[in-house]
Amino acid sequence: TVTLDFAPGAEYNYSNAAFDILCDVIAKVSGMTFENYAKVHIFEPVGMVNSTFYKPEVAEAIATKPHVRGDSLDLVVSKIYPYNRRHAGSSTLHSNVEDMMLWAEVNLNKGAINGNRIYQESSYDLLTTTQKQIGERSIGLSWFLSKLNDTKVIFHQGGDTGYSTFFAFIPEKKSAIALMTNMD
């Protein structure tokens, strides 16, 4: 028997598996692989030509190698490349800073870029509205919500073997930042 850790809405726990399940739902409803759905409905309309969730599509010329601390604490190329197609929704986005700045523009424009509506403005409002408060930080839908000098900051961060990322946008300032490193 499997039981929930807590009643829905009572607490918060980040779940990579939930993002992976969401991708499977998208694939089943759309009749497309999640990776192809993202390509057709997000990356291409936004102009994100160097972004994919499907590793075989990553151009060797822009691919990076993951770095980890070796035995002597020096950075070395990891023997493991962190890719498992089952985890597309939680772990396999391959992109670059230019493409992520396009994604920032979409979010700063509440779902639109260059005359293309990627998602509805009402979806933006839902995604960036507090669902759960945890100390100083609020949790939205797939976004973490915080404040910097009383200015709202919307962000998500992640990491895997040899990689660490941080993406944030500040609607009031029409600003964004994408930090992408190929090291732990």
Side-chain angles (χ1 to χ4, degrees):
T1 302
V2 177
T3 59
L4 296 174
D5 292 342
F6 47 83
E11 295 183 41
Y12 165 81
N13 192 3
Y14 188 85
S15 174
N16 279 345
F19 282 96
D20 297 335
I21 291 167
L22 176 60
C23 291
D24 193 47
V25 170
I26 290 169
K28 286 190 175 28
V29 170
S30 70
M32 308 167 80
T33 64
F34 168 73
E35 297 97 337
N36 196 41
Y37 182 90
K39 182 178 186 175
V40 169
H41 294 282
I42 299 171
F43 300 145
E44 288 176 352
V46 172
M48 297 171 71
V49 297
N50 291 304
S51 296
T52 183
F53 284 99
Y54 188 51
K55 169 74 167 85
E57 292 180 349
V58 177
E60 203 56 41
I62 63 167
T64 61
K65 300 208 180 311
H67 288 75
V68 295
R69 296 259 179 225
D71 293 336
S72 64
L73 298 182
D74 292 334
L75 287 177
V76 297
V77 174
S78 175
K79 293 175 183 157
I80 298 167
Y81 186 87
Y83 176 77
N84 183 324
R85 191 170 180 201
R86 291 183 303 194
H87 300 296
S90 66
S91 305
T92 72
L93 176 62
H94 292 76
S95 191
N96 63 17
V97 173
E98 291 87 1
D99 278 11
M100 293 308 296
M101 286 296 97
L102 291 171
W103 185 239
E105 188 175 337
V106 169
N107 287 285
L108 289 168
N109 291 319
K110 298 184 177 186
I113 187 169
N114 299 326
N116 292 321
R117 171 98 6 227
I118 308 306
Y119 59 82
Q120 296 302 313
E121 191 169 333
S122 59
S123 295
Y124 171 88
D125 294 337
L126 185 61
L127 290 165
T128 60
T129 297
T130 299
Q131 304 297 314
K132 186 72 179 165
Q133 187 74 37
I134 303 195
E136 296 288 317
R137 185 184 291 177
S138 300
I139 309 300
L141 293 178
S142 80
W143 291 110
F144 299 100
L145 315 170
S146 192
K147 291 204 175 219
L148 179 63
N149 299 327
D150 292 326
T151 303
K152 186 175 186 176
V153 178
I154 302 166
F155 69 97
H156 199 102
Q157 61 197 46
D160 210 329
T161 303
Y163 290 96
S164 184
T165 62
F166 178 82
F167 176 82
F169 60 100
I170 306 168
E172 183 180 313
K173 303 280 186 186
K174 289 285 191 187
S175 298
I177 185 168
L179 300 173
M180 306 165 78
T181 66
N182 61 326
M183 62 179 245
D184 285 344

